[in-house]
Amino acid sequence: MNMFPEALNLYGDRGNIITLQKRCEWRGIKANIVEYSFNSNQEILKTADIILLGGASDREQAIMYSQLLNLKDLLKSLIEDGVCLLAICGGYQLLGEAYIDANKRVIKGLGILDFYTRSEGKRLIGNIVIETTLDIFPKTVVGYENHGGRTYHGFKPFGNVLKGSGNNGRDGFEGLIYKNVIATYLHGPLLPKNPHIADYILKRALERKYALSKLEFQKLDDELEYMAHNRVKELYM
């Protein structure tokens, strides 16, 4: 389920959807991609196995808040039920309690997860490499970050920063993990250069819906994908 793709698609976040779709196709798995827009029926969201909440500019993020607020309880219920959700940058911030802007104004978030984001000085921009806390290999995740907000929370991080700034440029953490939620500042888009993260999400969704075992999940030839992944590591570490 691609949430509001007309607005939440900063830095090519739609590439994450394309990656999940292609990796399903290559395994002979039919994937139905549904774009949830302003006029969509909420009932369709209940059918989601994977939800993408992409990034947006501050203006678009503010517009999206009113739309997403109507879906707060349903999104929270789906998250607690183990539905996979990938939240990128603005989508990540929207899951929290609030965003405090440069003028100290408190802009409420959805409050689904207990954390906040605060604007602090210059933007954190550049390529980023992290070591993920997920039980997968390789451990590195590469991407690009560009955010003015600093996020603070007590959840398990998505990873430890090896190069770049991460959540706030201070604590060395990037993103968060909660149940089957991955929230991160990594654009790029994230999944094409990190096929192990894409497969982690697909496996979790299939395990939840069909009790699929790891042995039943076909391994793909990811030589090209990991050439891109490793090239980023060579350039920036």
Side-chain angles (χ1 to χ4, degrees):
M1 189 75 63
N2 191 11
M3 302 298 292
F4 302 106
E6 60 272 63
L8 302 179
N9 183 33
L10 203 60
Y11 302 116
D13 285 337
R14 182 176 172 75
N16 293 320
I17 289 287
I18 295 171
T19 298
L20 293 173
Q21 183 178 27
K22 296 303 293 184
R23 296 185 75 79
C24 282
E25 288 178 5
W26 292 335
R27 293 183 167 98
I29 301 171
K30 182 181 179 182
N32 294 318
I33 308 300
V34 177
E35 297 196 339
Y36 191 97
S37 298
F38 295 98
N39 297 320
S40 294
N41 187 324
Q42 288 190 18
E43 290 298 309
I44 199 169
L45 187 54
K46 296 178 181 177
T47 67
D49 299 308
I50 300 172
I51 299 171
L52 174 67
L53 203 54
S57 68
D58 290 348
R59 176 180 173 277
E60 290 166 328
Q61 196 169 317
I63 295 171
M64 284 298 97
Y65 171 72
S66 61
Q67 296 293 322
L68 288 166
L69 189 59
N70 296 325
L71 304 173
K72 172 185 172 180
D73 291 341
L74 178 53
L75 282 171
K76 185 171 184 177
S77 172
L78 293 171
I79 288 171
E80 293 299 324
D81 193 37
V83 170
C84 295
L85 188 149
L86 176 62
I88 307 290
C89 198
Y92 172 17
Q93 295 173 352
L94 282 166
L95 292 177
E97 296 287 348
Y99 181 92
I100 304 167
D101 72 11
N103 297 315
K104 310 299 182 187
R105 291 180 302 183
V106 177
I107 302 168
K108 288 188 68 175
L110 296 176
I112 293 175
L113 299 176
D114 183 15
F115 71 86
Y116 70 95
T117 300
R118 182 170 63 211
S119 177
E120 294 179 12
K122 68 177 184 179
R123 299 184 70 82
L124 303 177
I125 304 172
N127 290 281
I128 178 169
V129 182
I130 67 171
E131 182 178 76
T132 184
T133 60
L134 297 174
D135 184 19
I136 56 176
F137 184 84
K139 299 299 288 183
T140 49
V141 181
V142 302
Y144 179 80
E145 61 181 333
N146 183 353
H147 52 105
R150 272 65 161 173
T151 297
Y152 299 87
H153 63 71
F155 292 92
K156 178 181 178 180
F158 179 37
N160 299 304
V161 177
L162 301 177
K163 173 69 179 181
S165 299
N167 283 337
N168 49 55
R170 294 181 178 178
D171 60 18
F173 298 140
E174 203 292 320
L176 71 77
I177 300 292
Y178 176 74
K179 295 197 170 186
N180 282 335
V181 174
I182 297 177
T184 177
Y185 278 112
L186 270 63
H187 290 281
L190 171 68
L191 299 182
K193 287 180 286 190
N194 299 285
H196 50 319
I197 303 298
D199 281 357
Y200 174 85
I201 294 170
L202 290 174
K203 278 193 284 189
R204 297 297 293 223
L206 289 166
E207 286 167 1
R208 174 180 174 272
K209 189 161 189 174
Y210 300 111
L212 182 81
S213 74
K214 291 182 179 178
L215 295 177
E216 295 175 282
F217 195 71
Q218 179 187 353
K219 186 175 175 57
L220 299 176
D221 179 359
D222 287 322
E223 181 179 358
L224 287 176
E225 287 82 354
Y226 282 119
M227 284 176 66
H229 177 98
N230 292 329
R231 182 57 176 156
V232 174
K233 288 166 57 178
E234 292 170 4
L235 286 171
Y236 301 108
M237 289 186 64

